[in-house]
């Protein structure tokens, strides 16, 4: 009888754990869909941030598509519980594409603090979000949210980026003639 009770308790605990994970996944999907809808409907964007540096680059791929890379670095303030979503400006609410994001589906949270880095604790130096586009010159809409040190104030920024192909500079080598 005791073994049966222990087995039932173990099954009950496993079931609760499974439901809890399933609930977290549903919450993450709901948050992602909400952020996507917000970005699609947003009509006011800035092109930079006072709180961090953000830039985007394009890299042509052999199959004719374009990879875009978004770099967020150099925080000017302490940023906790960072969440980022980047979508193409042609995105629709009903898109089944999963766009590049940070902090929405992960269990751990991310923090950027000026001049600090400790990846084990979730303190990162920068973020790199990458995606593939069939458009040759995609325009990217980025949503960045975070809380301050007190976790009382939440910040939300909408940034529109026009990525470019980085210039490759030829290095000139000195040749010594004897």
């Amino acid at each position: 009888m005791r073994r049966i009770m222990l087995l039932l308790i173990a099954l009950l605990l496993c079931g609760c754990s499974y439901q809890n994970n399933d609930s977290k996944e549903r919450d993450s999907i709901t948050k992602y869909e909400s952020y996507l809808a917000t970005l699609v409907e947003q009509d006011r964007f800035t092109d930079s941030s006072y709180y961090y540096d953000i830039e985007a680059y394009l890299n042509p791929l052999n199959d004719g598509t374009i990879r875009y890379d978004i770099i967020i670095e150099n925080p000017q303030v302490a940023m906790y519980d960072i969440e980022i979503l980047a979508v193409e400006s042609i995105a629709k609410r009903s898109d089944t594409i999963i766009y590049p994001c940070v902090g929405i589906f992960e269990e751990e949270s991310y923090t950027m603090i000026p001049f600090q880095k400790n990846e084990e604790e979730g303190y990162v130096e920068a973020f790199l979000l990458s995606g593939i586009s069939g458009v040759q010159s995609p325009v990217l809409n980025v949503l960045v949210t975070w809380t301050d040190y007190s976790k009382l104030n939440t910040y939300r920024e909408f940034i529109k980026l026009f990525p470019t192909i980085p210039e490759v500079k030829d290095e000139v080598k000195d040749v010594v003639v004897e």
Side-chain angles (χ1 to χ4, degrees), residues 15-25 27:
C16 290
S17 174
Y18 177 75
Q19 288 176 349
N20 192 21
N21 288 340
D22 194 38
S23 174
K24 287 179 184 178
E25 187 176 320
D27 290 346

Side-chain angles (χ1 to χ4, degrees), residues 64-87:
T65 59
I66 297 285
R67 186 184 83 218
Y68 55 85
D69 298 314
I70 301 168
I71 301 167
I72 298 174
E73 62 185 350
N74 193 24
Q76 301 300 305
V77 296
M79 301 167 62
Y80 294 84
D81 302 323
I82 299 169
E83 296 175 332
I84 306 168
L85 176 62
V87 303

Side-chain angles (χ1 to χ4, degrees), residues 12-175:
L12 183 62
L13 290 175
C14 289
C16 290
S17 174
Y18 177 75
Q19 288 176 349
N20 192 21
N21 288 340
D22 194 38
S23 174
K24 287 179 184 178
E25 187 176 320
R26 276 196 308 269
D27 290 346
S28 295
I29 291 170
T30 301
K31 182 183 284 189
Y32 174 87
E33 290 173 345
S34 171
Y35 284 178
L36 177 62
T38 301
L39 267 173
V40 167
E41 295 168 2
Q42 183 66 20
D43 60 353
R44 293 184 182 176
F45 292 90
T46 63
D47 61 355
S48 63
S49 175
Y50 172 77
Y51 301 104
Y52 49 85
D53 294 338
I54 183 169
E55 52 194 2
Y57 299 102
L58 298 177
N59 295 297
L61 301 176
N62 292 336
D63 64 358
T65 59
I66 297 285
R67 186 184 83 218
Y68 55 85
D69 298 314
I70 301 168
I71 301 167
I72 298 174
E73 62 185 350
N74 193 24
Q76 301 300 305
V77 296
M79 301 167 62
Y80 294 84
D81 302 323
I82 299 169
E83 296 175 332
I84 306 168
L85 176 62
V87 303
E88 293 182 53
S89 63
I90 59 172
K92 296 177 180 50
R93 253 184 117 147
S94 61
D95 277 352
T96 57
I97 300 168
I98 298 295
Y99 290 100
C101 59
V102 169
I104 298 172
F105 291 104
E106 297 88 356
E107 287 188 24
E108 63 272 356
S109 64
Y110 296 101
T111 299
M112 282 199 317
I113 299 177
F115 311 110
Q116 292 187 28
K117 176 184 169 187
N118 184 344
E119 291 181 17
E120 289 94 30
E121 296 294 321
Y123 290 53
V124 297
E125 188 174 9
F127 292 101
L128 172 66
L129 290 87
S130 295
I132 305 291
S133 176
V135 178
Q136 292 302 305
S137 296
V139 176
L140 304 172
N141 296 337
V142 182
L143 168 62
V144 181
T145 67
W146 74 92
T147 58
D148 64 3
Y149 178 75
S150 67
K151 305 222 180 200
L152 295 175
N153 300 308
T154 300
Y155 297 83
R156 178 181 275 196
E157 291 189 310
F158 297 93
I159 301 172
K160 186 175 289 283
L161 299 172
F162 300 90
T164 59
I165 298 174
E167 292 182 24
V168 178
K169 295 181 181 179
D170 294 331
E171 290 185 25
V172 177
K173 296 184 179 181
D174 294 332
V175 177

